[in-house]
Amino acid sequence: MRTYLLLSFLFAAIVSHAQTLTGIWRGKRTQAAGGCFPEYSTEIHIYYDNGKELMGNAYNYFSREQYTKINFKGRYNTTTKRLVLIENAVVEYQVPPQCTPCIKTYDLNWIDSAQPILDGEWKGHEMGSSFICPPGKIHLIKEAHALFPV
């Protein structure tokens, strides 16, 4: 009976963690001088979380007409509460002609509060080249509804 209770609590902890990271995260992403815009809105959809590995889409947008949609994979460290999301495939984009989508790596800290937060930094390179994008910071909160298709 004790073993059953212990396994039940362990399973509940894993499920509650997965429910916390999986979902819609939205906020702001800044970019150092030299980028297309100094600030972007960002919406991240985490739709797969097995407790360590993550998968989803990142929408970075200046407006609903100017955006990028990029797939990512990532990992989560339960001890440090740190997420690393690595974009790997540009799915679609609508950006001004002088702008090039940036393939990013996000280094985020998960803050478990009344409203969960992902906060950290990002770096990246321009799509189709090895030119470095000016890096920046990112701050996201968990949202109930998506602005972009999941």
Side-chain angles (χ1 to χ4, degrees), residues 44-62:
I44 290 180
H45 303 172
I46 298 176
Y47 56 79
Y48 174 77
D49 172 10
N50 72 359
K52 290 192 183 228
E53 295 177 304
L54 306 167
M55 190 180 309
N57 299 314
Y59 288 90
N60 291 283
Y61 57 101
F62 187 71

PDB file of all heavy atoms in Angstrom, residues 44-62:
ATOM      1  N   ILE A  44       5.249  31.449 -27.354  1.00  0.00           N
ATOM      2  CA  ILE A  44       5.848  30.115 -27.443  1.00  0.00           C
ATOM      3  C   ILE A  44       4.791  29.082 -27.084  1.00  0.00           C
ATOM      4  O   ILE A  44       4.120  29.212 -26.062  1.00  0.00           O
ATOM      5  CB  ILE A  44       7.074  29.998 -26.518  1.00  0.00           C
ATOM      6  CG1 ILE A  44       8.204  30.867 -27.092  1.00  0.00           C
ATOM      7  CG2 ILE A  44       7.524  28.556 -26.364  1.00  0.00           C
ATOM      8  CD1 ILE A  44       9.477  30.846 -26.286  1.00  0.00           C
ATOM      9  N   HIS A  45       4.638  28.089 -27.957  1.00  0.00           N
ATOM     10  CA  HIS A  45       3.717  26.978 -27.721  1.00  0.00           C
ATOM     11  C   HIS A  45       4.545  25.749 -27.381  1.00  0.00           C
ATOM     12  O   HIS A  45       5.237  25.217 -28.249  1.00  0.00           O
ATOM     13  CB  HIS A  45       2.884  26.672 -28.968  1.00  0.00           C
ATOM     14  CG  HIS A  45       2.092  27.828 -29.474  1.00  0.00           C
ATOM     15  ND1 HIS A  45       1.428  27.779 -30.670  1.00  0.00           N
ATOM     16  CD2 HIS A  45       1.849  29.058 -28.965  1.00  0.00           C
ATOM     17  CE1 HIS A  45       0.803  28.925 -30.869  1.00  0.00           C
ATOM     18  NE2 HIS A  45       1.050  29.723 -29.847  1.00  0.00           N
ATOM     19  N   ILE A  46       4.507  25.322 -26.145  1.00  0.00           N
ATOM     20  CA  ILE A  46       5.163  24.068 -25.763  1.00  0.00           C
ATOM     21  C   ILE A  46       4.078  22.996 -25.783  1.00  0.00           C
ATOM     22  O   ILE A  46       3.161  23.030 -24.974  1.00  0.00           O
ATOM     23  CB  ILE A  46       5.826  24.157 -24.379  1.00  0.00           C
ATOM     24  CG1 ILE A  46       6.923  25.238 -24.385  1.00  0.00           C
ATOM     25  CG2 ILE A  46       6.414  22.796 -23.981  1.00  0.00           C
ATOM     26  CD1 ILE A  46       7.580  25.467 -23.038  1.00  0.00           C
ATOM     27  N   TYR A  47       4.149  22.094 -26.758  1.00  0.00           N
ATOM     28  CA  TYR A  47       3.099  21.083 -26.884  1.00  0.00           C
ATOM     29  C   TYR A  47       3.576  19.674 -26.560  1.00  0.00           C
ATOM     30  O   TYR A  47       2.788  18.743 -26.568  1.00  0.00           O
ATOM     31  CB  TYR A  47       2.427  21.122 -28.256  1.00  0.00           C
ATOM     32  CG  TYR A  47       3.347  20.981 -29.450  1.00  0.00           C
ATOM     33  CD1 TYR A  47       3.835  19.754 -29.855  1.00  0.00           C
ATOM     34  CD2 TYR A  47       3.699  22.103 -30.186  1.00  0.00           C
ATOM     35  CE1 TYR A  47       4.663  19.638 -30.937  1.00  0.00           C
ATOM     36  CE2 TYR A  47       4.524  21.997 -31.286  1.00  0.00           C
ATOM     37  CZ  TYR A  47       5.001  20.766 -31.655  1.00  0.00           C
ATOM     38  OH  TYR A  47       5.818  20.652 -32.737  1.00  0.00           O
ATOM     39  N   TYR A  48       4.840  19.513 -26.256  1.00  0.00           N
ATOM     40  CA  TYR A  48       5.342  18.204 -25.851  1.00  0.00           C
ATOM     41  C   TYR A  48       6.311  18.406 -24.705  1.00  0.00           C
ATOM     42  O   TYR A  48       7.217  19.238 -24.785  1.00  0.00           O
ATOM     43  CB  TYR A  48       6.049  17.498 -27.006  1.00  0.00           C
ATOM     44  CG  TYR A  48       6.705  16.195 -26.599  1.00  0.00           C
ATOM     45  CD1 TYR A  48       5.945  15.058 -26.419  1.00  0.00           C
ATOM     46  CD2 TYR A  48       8.068  16.124 -26.376  1.00  0.00           C
ATOM     47  CE1 TYR A  48       6.533  13.862 -26.028  1.00  0.00           C
ATOM     48  CE2 TYR A  48       8.664  14.936 -25.991  1.00  0.00           C
ATOM     49  CZ  TYR A  48       7.896  13.810 -25.819  1.00  0.00           C
ATOM     50  OH  TYR A  48       8.483  12.635 -25.430  1.00  0.00           O
ATOM     51  N   ASP A  49       6.106  17.672 -23.635  1.00  0.00           N
ATOM     52  CA  ASP A  49       6.970  17.754 -22.464  1.00  0.00           C
ATOM     53  C   ASP A  49       6.928  16.401 -21.773  1.00  0.00           C
ATOM     54  O   ASP A  49       5.907  16.024 -21.224  1.00  0.00           O
ATOM     55  CB  ASP A  49       6.474  18.857 -21.530  1.00  0.00           C
ATOM     56  CG  ASP A  49       7.200  18.895 -20.192  1.00  0.00           C
ATOM     57  OD1 ASP A  49       8.218  18.197 -20.032  1.00  0.00           O
ATOM     58  OD2 ASP A  49       6.740  19.633 -19.313  1.00  0.00           O
ATOM     59  N   ASN A  50       8.023  15.665 -21.835  1.00  0.00           N
ATOM     60  CA  ASN A  50       8.057  14.367 -21.151  1.00  0.00           C
ATOM     61  C   ASN A  50       8.810  14.452 -19.827  1.00  0.00           C
ATOM     62  O   ASN A  50       9.235  13.443 -19.292  1.00  0.00           O
ATOM     63  CB  ASN A  50       8.645  13.278 -22.053  1.00  0.00           C
ATOM     64  CG  ASN A  50      10.140  13.428 -22.262  1.00  0.00           C
ATOM     65  OD1 ASN A  50      10.773  14.355 -21.756  1.00  0.00           O
ATOM     66  ND2 ASN A  50      10.718  12.516 -23.012  1.00  0.00           N
ATOM     67  N   GLY A  51       8.969  15.660 -19.307  1.00  0.00           N
ATOM     68  CA  GLY A  51       9.675  15.838 -18.047  1.00  0.00           C
ATOM     69  C   GLY A  51      11.097  16.319 -18.223  1.00  0.00           C
ATOM     70  O   GLY A  51      11.679  16.900 -17.327  1.00  0.00           O
ATOM     71  N   LYS A  52      11.691  16.098 -19.377  1.00  0.00           N
ATOM     72  CA  LYS A  52      13.045  16.574 -19.663  1.00  0.00           C
ATOM     73  C   LYS A  52      13.135  17.182 -21.055  1.00  0.00           C
ATOM     74  O   LYS A  52      13.749  18.211 -21.248  1.00  0.00           O
ATOM     75  CB  LYS A  52      14.069  15.450 -19.525  1.00  0.00           C
ATOM     76  CG  LYS A  52      14.270  15.009 -18.095  1.00  0.00           C
ATOM     77  CD  LYS A  52      15.469  14.116 -17.966  1.00  0.00           C
ATOM     78  CE  LYS A  52      15.546  13.657 -16.525  1.00  0.00           C
ATOM     79  NZ  LYS A  52      16.849  13.800 -15.966  1.00  0.00           N
ATOM     80  N   GLU A  53      12.541  16.515 -22.046  1.00  0.00           N
ATOM     81  CA  GLU A  53      12.591  17.013 -23.421  1.00  0.00           C
ATOM     82  C   GLU A  53      11.332  17.798 -23.737  1.00  0.00           C
ATOM     83  O   GLU A  53      10.240  17.433 -23.320  1.00  0.00           O
ATOM     84  CB  GLU A  53      12.733  15.849 -24.399  1.00  0.00           C
ATOM     85  CG  GLU A  53      14.040  15.104 -24.246  1.00  0.00           C
ATOM     86  CD  GLU A  53      14.117  13.912 -25.176  1.00  0.00           C
ATOM     87  OE1 GLU A  53      13.218  13.054 -25.109  1.00  0.00           O
ATOM     88  OE2 GLU A  53      15.063  13.876 -25.965  1.00  0.00           O
ATOM     89  N   LEU A  54      11.503  18.884 -24.503  1.00  0.00           N
ATOM     90  CA  LEU A  54      10.401  19.752 -24.884  1.00  0.00           C
ATOM     91  C   LEU A  54      10.377  19.912 -26.396  1.00  0.00           C
ATOM     92  O   LEU A  54      11.401  19.756 -27.056  1.00  0.00           O
ATOM     93  CB  LEU A  54      10.578  21.141 -24.253  1.00  0.00           C
ATOM     94  CG  LEU A  54      10.775  21.189 -22.746  1.00  0.00           C
ATOM     95  CD1 LEU A  54      11.250  22.567 -22.331  1.00  0.00           C
ATOM     96  CD2 LEU A  54       9.490  20.825 -22.048  1.00  0.00           C
ATOM     97  N   MET A  55       9.208  20.265 -26.928  1.00  0.00           N
ATOM     98  CA  MET A  55       9.066  20.506 -28.346  1.00  0.00           C
ATOM     99  C   MET A  55       7.942  21.517 -28.540  1.00  0.00           C
ATOM    100  O   MET A  55       6.989  21.548 -27.765  1.00  0.00           O
ATOM    101  CB  MET A  55       8.717  19.195 -29.062  1.00  0.00           C
ATOM    102  CG  MET A  55       8.780  19.257 -30.563  1.00  0.00           C
ATOM    103  SD  MET A  55       8.350  17.670 -31.344  1.00  0.00           S
ATOM    104  CE  MET A  55       9.408  16.525 -30.490  1.00  0.00           C
ATOM    105  N   GLY A  56       8.056  22.352 -29.579  1.00  0.00           N
ATOM    106  CA  GLY A  56       6.992  23.301 -29.838  1.00  0.00           C
ATOM    107  C   GLY A  56       7.317  24.265 -30.950  1.00  0.00           C
ATOM    108  O   GLY A  56       8.182  23.995 -31.789  1.00  0.00           O
ATOM    109  N   ASN A  57       6.588  25.396 -30.953  1.00  0.00           N
ATOM    110  CA  ASN A  57       6.749  26.458 -31.948  1.00  0.00           C
ATOM    111  C   ASN A  57       6.951  27.784 -31.234  1.00  0.00           C
ATOM    112  O   ASN A  57       6.363  28.015 -30.176  1.00  0.00           O
ATOM    113  CB  ASN A  57       5.493  26.600 -32.815  1.00  0.00           C
ATOM    114  CG  ASN A  57       5.177  25.357 -33.583  1.00  0.00           C
ATOM    115  OD1 ASN A  57       6.061  24.767 -34.176  1.00  0.00           O
ATOM    116  ND2 ASN A  57       3.929  24.950 -33.568  1.00  0.00           N
ATOM    117  N   ALA A  58       7.729  28.660 -31.865  1.00  0.00           N
ATOM    118  CA  ALA A  58       7.918  30.015 -31.353  1.00  0.00           C
ATOM    119  C   ALA A  58       7.456  30.996 -32.424  1.00  0.00           C
ATOM    120  O   ALA A  58       7.877  30.907 -33.576  1.00  0.00           O
ATOM    121  CB  ALA A  58       9.382  30.259 -31.015  1.00  0.00           C
ATOM    122  N   TYR A  59       6.565  31.885 -32.043  1.00  0.00           N
ATOM    123  CA  TYR A  59       6.141  32.986 -32.904  1.00  0.00           C
ATOM    124  C   TYR A  59       6.780  34.254 -32.359  1.00  0.00           C
ATOM    125  O   TYR A  59       6.571  34.616 -31.202  1.00  0.00           O
ATOM    126  CB  TYR A  59       4.625  33.162 -32.872  1.00  0.00           C
ATOM    127  CG  TYR A  59       3.862  32.093 -33.590  1.00  0.00           C
ATOM    128  CD1 TYR A  59       3.445  30.951 -32.933  1.00  0.00           C
ATOM    129  CD2 TYR A  59       3.536  32.236 -34.931  1.00  0.00           C
ATOM    130  CE1 TYR A  59       2.726  29.966 -33.588  1.00  0.00           C
ATOM    131  CE2 TYR A  59       2.819  31.265 -35.606  1.00  0.00           C
ATOM    132  CZ  TYR A  59       2.415  30.132 -34.922  1.00  0.00           C
ATOM    133  OH  TYR A  59       1.701  29.165 -35.573  1.00  0.00           O
ATOM    134  N   ASN A  60       7.578  34.918 -33.179  1.00  0.00           N
ATOM    135  CA  ASN A  60       8.140  36.217 -32.837  1.00  0.00           C
ATOM    136  C   ASN A  60       7.505  37.208 -33.795  1.00  0.00           C
ATOM    137  O   ASN A  60       7.534  37.002 -35.013  1.00  0.00           O
ATOM    138  CB  ASN A  60       9.657  36.206 -32.996  1.00  0.00           C
ATOM    139  CG  ASN A  60      10.297  35.329 -31.942  1.00  0.00           C
ATOM    140  OD1 ASN A  60      10.417  35.732 -30.800  1.00  0.00           O
ATOM    141  ND2 ASN A  60      10.669  34.115 -32.313  1.00  0.00           N
ATOM    142  N   TYR A  61       6.911  38.267 -33.244  1.00  0.00           N
ATOM    143  CA  TYR A  61       6.151  39.161 -34.106  1.00  0.00           C
ATOM    144  C   TYR A  61       6.264  40.608 -33.664  1.00  0.00           C
ATOM    145  O   TYR A  61       6.398  40.917 -32.490  1.00  0.00           O
ATOM    146  CB  TYR A  61       4.688  38.726 -34.182  1.00  0.00           C
ATOM    147  CG  TYR A  61       3.966  38.634 -32.854  1.00  0.00           C
ATOM    148  CD1 TYR A  61       3.111  39.646 -32.440  1.00  0.00           C
ATOM    149  CD2 TYR A  61       4.121  37.528 -32.017  1.00  0.00           C
ATOM    150  CE1 TYR A  61       2.436  39.550 -31.229  1.00  0.00           C
ATOM    151  CE2 TYR A  61       3.452  37.438 -30.812  1.00  0.00           C
ATOM    152  CZ  TYR A  61       2.614  38.461 -30.424  1.00  0.00           C
ATOM    153  OH  TYR A  61       1.953  38.382 -29.225  1.00  0.00           O
ATOM    154  N   PHE A  62       6.230  41.467 -34.659  1.00  0.00           N
ATOM    155  CA  PHE A  62       6.157  42.894 -34.427  1.00  0.00           C
ATOM    156  C   PHE A  62       4.709  43.339 -34.568  1.00  0.00           C
ATOM    157  O   PHE A  62       4.252  44.250 -33.920  1.00  0.00           O
ATOM    158  CB  PHE A  62       7.075  43.640 -35.398  1.00  0.00           C
ATOM    159  CG  PHE A  62       7.179  45.102 -35.102  1.00  0.00           C
ATOM    160  CD1 PHE A  62       7.871  45.549 -33.991  1.00  0.00           C
ATOM    161  CD2 PHE A  62       6.565  46.027 -35.927  1.00  0.00           C
ATOM    162  CE1 PHE A  62       7.950  46.905 -33.700  1.00  0.00           C
ATOM    163  CE2 PHE A  62       6.641  47.382 -35.646  1.00  0.00           C
ATOM    164  CZ  PHE A  62       7.331  47.820 -34.528  1.00  0.00           C
TER     165      PHE A  62
END
